Amino acid sequence: MWLYLLCGATLLIAYVLHTLLTTSGSSYGGNSLEAFISQEGNLATDKMIDRSADRYLVNYTDAGKQVLVMFGTEYGCSEEVAKKLFDSVASLPLDGSGARLQPRLVNARQHSAVDWSQESVLLLVISTSGDGVPPTDARDFCDWMLGTKDMEMSHLHYSVLALGDSNYPHFCRTGRSLDKRLTDLRATQLVPRSDVDQEDWSVIDSWIDAVLNVLPVVAIEATLDYLSLDTVSCDQSYNRTRPFMATMTVKRRLTVQETEEDKETIHCEFELAGSDLTFTAGDALGIYPQNNPAEVGAVLSALCASGRELVEAPSWAYQPLPAGKISLEEALLKYYDLKHVNPELVKLLTKHTSDKTERVEGERLMKDGLSKNNIILWSYLHSHEVIDVLKSFHRARPPLHLLLSKMKGLQPRYYSIASSPVLDPEKASVTAAVVRYSLHGIPRTGVTTTYLQDRLEVNQSCPVFISHNPDFRLPSNNDLSIIMIGPGTGIAPFLAFVQERIATGASGDNLLYFGCRHRDKDFLYKSELETWSKNGSLRLRVAFSRDQDKKVYVQDLLRKDTKNIWRHLRNGAHIYVCGDARHMAHDVHQALTDVCQEQGNMGAEQARRFLLGLEQVNRYQKDVWVT
């Protein structure tokens, strides 16, 4: 009897929802969608993304099978994956003994709170930051794990999910190193390590599925949880998840624009007073932007939505969290990435479109799956933004909460700090090249750079935090010379370096190789650099690539100065490279290899090992990124 009543109620709810969604022409617009979301209430609670972090700080009071889910992240993706893994493990059914798996979510920076002798299962989700270094929060954990000698973990079962970017030579180095280390410590591998290239969720989900399949059969003794996560996780300082609202006090243009091809670069300064944020020359400022309102409006139009619809803030929303639900317009403005398309969004739209042509196109794109091995799909994703995909599948009408769940989070952007805390610890300067472009014949804008240039006014505030970069530091010995190589905005950290070297009275030479297109248009910080050059504080070499018929780049100047470069290297100089990783850093490395071969009488392999040796003793440091 109750079963029939339950089935009837379910059918009635389904009919009501169907009616609400279809009476407005199968669109998100008008009051019908707002009514749908309001009436939907708790019906879809299990499908909605929980924005509260409290449920990940659970302290179990009953005995259970403990599973340690640990993550190390720089930008938040590893944490997002770890939370999904946590939820998946927590949802597994009771085993034959009646004991439930009890996952605990721990940031790698809290590793000292873990009693490894009591842990039976470790599921480690960890990213590699930049070209082969651990995330800042996970550095101590990696140093401990890789450096501790008197340790044995034969009692531990583990698996590693390594996240990285294959554009860098040391792809997933952190995860790979920890995986090998755990094997060397005689820990038992549950499932093989998976390497994830740029948030490839098909690989992530396959690894999670493999872990979930094997966990129920692992022999884990049911015990009381000893870990007090509410105490361990308490952190009231400003950071990536709890940014500081910093006031922009200065904004000025650094370039001259006469044509559309000319660079548009700005200098901004932020006031950090009252934040207790500290930084070192070489660190970066993380900035949370807001999307271009015009682009948000275009997405709302494609959804036939007013923007007033109420939705939950996503799980990755930074603190302070919104009180209650927020408007769809605010959610798209502050929390969702409108540039990079999640392949799951294409899958969802294909499933929910009423148009046969759209469905056929979606199936064609996904014929070989969602992984990055599907070249057709990923070529499409790389050439389309969210608005383009919504227009391509304009007859698709999935539930709004499902659509949002298939969109990526709007990530903070990181800018090398262009000022030294020795001069002013409460001011952080950044240098930003403003991005404007066209796609499919439509003008587009970079997210953060146009937010800073076009929408954030002086004396207004935005959320910021410090991203520490301990692998990009001045030598502790002020007598040593430094060789800085940074074209374009890559000059930013070197401004901080030179300021600090002057302020501290460093006796070593400061050599700067800077590159730009034109002396009179984009010679960034021309006045400051030439002043330092004239008073002997800086040995300046500038490559103007387009002021003459033959293009000249920083690597060309390095090859012209081989004797001087080699003399400084022999005397203990440190080399720093900042800028584009895909081309510039590779070309500079080749030029340095040529210097070693020519002046050091080395073969190619000897030169390679020599530069590698400089890297290992922190005399050759890179702060590079892929655009």
Side-chain angles (χ1 to χ4, degrees), residues 428-494:
S429 303
V430 300
T431 310
V434 181
V435 177
R436 305 184 196 276
Y437 60 102
S438 292
L439 184 62
H440 306 301
I442 302 173
R444 314 287 174 117
T445 59
V447 179
T448 309
T449 57
T450 57
Y451 171 65
L452 295 176
Q453 172 68 324
D454 300 344
R455 303 188 293 281
L456 186 68
E457 301 294 336
V458 171
N459 295 325
Q460 290 184 335
S461 300
C462 69
V464 307
F465 58 94
I466 299 298
S467 176
H468 298 289
N469 187 7
D471 290 299
F472 205 70
R473 291 288 186 258
L474 284 167
S476 57
N477 184 350
N478 276 345
D479 295 333
L480 295 176
S481 297
I482 60 173
I483 303 170
M484 301 165 284
I485 308 163
T489 57
I491 195 176
F494 301 141

Side-chain angles (χ1 to χ4, degrees), residues 52 75 106 116 162 183 240 262 272 331 356 533 547 554 557-558:
S52 170
Y75 306 116
V106 177
W116 293 93
T183 298
R240 180 180 56 82
D262 290 335
L272 302 180
K356 181 179 179 180
S533 178
D547 275 351
V554 288
L557 297 185
L558 291 172

Side-chain angles (χ1 to χ4, degrees), residues 114-171:
V114 176
D115 182 350
W116 293 93
S117 66
Q118 296 193 50
E119 297 296 336
S120 298
V121 176
L122 167 66
L123 303 177
L124 179 61
V125 182
I126 193 160
S127 63
T128 294
S129 181
D131 191 16
V133 299
T136 304
D137 282 353
R139 182 171 298 275
D140 288 343
F141 168 68
C142 292
D143 289 345
W144 171 78
M145 179 65 75
L146 297 173
T148 303
K149 295 180 179 179
D150 300 326
M151 184 165 56
E152 199 266 347
M153 291 193 173
S154 59
H155 62 285
L156 186 71
H157 294 77
Y158 82 96
S159 187
V160 175
L161 184 71
L163 283 75
D165 185 336
S166 61
N167 287 299
Y168 292 100
H170 302 301
F171 172 58

Side-chain angles (χ1 to χ4, degrees), residues 91-265:
S91 66
L92 287 173
L94 296 170
D95 65 9
S97 67
R100 183 178 295 280
L101 291 171
Q102 295 181 346
R104 285 84 41 76
L105 187 71
V106 177
N107 190 316
R109 71 169 179 265
Q110 304 159 340
H111 74 95
S112 60
V114 176
D115 182 350
W116 293 93
S117 66
Q118 296 193 50
E119 297 296 336
S120 298
V121 176
L122 167 66
L123 303 177
L124 179 61
V125 182
I126 193 160
S127 63
T128 294
S129 181
D131 191 16
V133 299
T136 304
D137 282 353
R139 182 171 298 275
D140 288 343
F141 168 68
C142 292
D143 289 345
W144 171 78
M145 179 65 75
L146 297 173
T148 303
K149 295 180 179 179
D150 300 326
M151 184 165 56
E152 199 266 347
M153 291 193 173
S154 59
H155 62 285
L156 186 71
H157 294 77
Y158 82 96
S159 187
V160 175
L161 184 71
L163 283 75
D165 185 336
S166 61
N167 287 299
Y168 292 100
H170 302 301
F171 172 58
C172 288
R173 173 191 271 179
T174 302
R176 291 175 176 180
S177 298
L178 292 172
D179 180 53
K180 182 179 184 302
R181 178 60 173 160
L182 287 164
T183 298
D184 293 343
L185 294 174
R186 299 178 60 197
T188 302
Q189 192 179 64
L190 284 173
V191 297
R193 183 195 75 247
S194 286
D195 295 340
V196 183
D197 185 12
Q198 301 179 66
E199 303 182 28
D200 189 338
W201 277 93
S202 63
V203 177
I204 293 170
D205 290 337
S206 294
W207 177 80
I208 291 177
D209 289 343
V211 168
L212 297 179
N213 285 335
V214 73
L215 265 184
V217 299
V218 177
I220 308 173
E221 181 182 353
T223 60
L224 286 173
D225 181 17
Y226 69 89
L227 201 56
S228 180
L229 288 178
D230 52 351
T231 302
V232 171
S233 302
C234 183
D235 184 0
Q236 293 304 311
S237 62
Y238 291 108
N239 51 42
R240 180 180 56 82
T241 58
R242 185 173 178 262
F244 173 71
M245 293 301 294
T247 300
M248 179 195 284
T249 57
V250 172
K251 177 167 61 177
R252 60 186 172 94
R253 191 186 296 268
L254 297 174
T255 54
V256 175
Q257 282 186 283
E258 296 177 348
T259 70
E260 290 185 357
E261 293 184 354
D262 290 335
K263 296 283 189 179
E264 180 183 3
T265 306

Side-chain angles (χ1 to χ4, degrees), residues 568-576 610 613-621:
H568 280 95
L569 287 179
R570 288 186 62 186
N571 291 330
H574 287 223
I575 308 173
Y576 302 89
F610 177 79
L614 292 184
E615 287 188 54
Q616 292 172 339
V617 297
N618 297 320
R619 283 184 54 199
Y620 180 14
Q621 301 180 33

Side-chain angles (χ1 to χ4, degrees), residues 272-283:
L272 302 180
S275 67
D276 289 328
L277 289 172
T278 60
F279 65 96
T280 303
D283 287 341

Side-chain angles (χ1 to χ4, degrees), residues 331-348:
L332 293 175
L333 193 69
K334 296 173 61 176
Y335 301 126
Y336 288 95
D337 187 344
L338 304 184
K339 299 295 181 181
H340 303 96
V341 182
N342 184 344
E344 290 284 351
L345 179 62
V346 176
K347 181 178 180 180
L348 179 73

Side-chain angles (χ1 to χ4, degrees), residues 375-549:
I375 297 175
I376 294 176
L377 173 62
W378 282 88
S379 295
Y380 172 85
L381 296 177
H382 287 153
S383 61
H384 288 71
E385 298 178 358
V386 170
I387 182 61
D388 304 314
V389 177
L390 293 176
K391 287 181 176 179
S392 296
F393 294 86
H394 68 281
R395 292 191 178 277
R397 289 291 178 266
L400 181 58
H401 69 274
L402 283 182
L403 185 139
L404 292 176
S405 74
K406 304 305 181 184
M407 289 177 61
K408 296 186 175 187
L410 181 60
Q411 297 295 321
R413 303 311 199 260
Y414 295 76
Y415 295 88
S416 298
I417 297 176
S419 56
S420 169
V422 172
L423 270 63
D424 189 345
E426 295 183 338
K427 180 188 77 174
S429 303
V430 300
T431 310
V434 181
V435 177
R436 305 184 196 276
Y437 60 102
S438 292
L439 184 62
H440 306 301
I442 302 173
R444 314 287 174 117
T445 59
V447 179
T448 309
T449 57
T450 57
Y451 171 65
L452 295 176
Q453 172 68 324
D454 300 344
R455 303 188 293 281
L456 186 68
E457 301 294 336
V458 171
N459 295 325
Q460 290 184 335
S461 300
C462 69
V464 307
F465 58 94
I466 299 298
S467 176
H468 298 289
N469 187 7
D471 290 299
F472 205 70
R473 291 288 186 258
L474 284 167
S476 57
N477 184 350
N478 276 345
D479 295 333
L480 295 176
S481 297
I482 60 173
I483 303 170
M484 301 165 284
I485 308 163
T489 57
I491 195 176
F494 301 141
L495 294 171
F497 279 11
V498 176
Q499 289 174 8
E500 190 153 315
R501 296 269 286 186
I502 294 173
T504 57
S507 59
D509 287 340
N510 303 316
L511 286 74
L512 173 63
Y513 287 82
F514 173 65
C516 60
R517 292 180 177 180
H518 304 283
R519 178 185 293 273
D520 298 328
K521 290 185 177 182
D522 56 355
F523 188 170
L524 306 183
Y525 302 101
K526 180 176 183 289
S527 176
E528 294 94 323
L529 295 178
E530 290 186 338
T531 297
W532 288 335
S533 178
K534 289 176 182 178
N535 67 26
S537 300
L538 178 67
R539 298 181 185 274
L540 179 63
R541 294 280 276 146
V542 186
F544 301 106
S545 63
R546 302 191 183 183
D547 275 351
Q548 60 284 315
D549 292 336

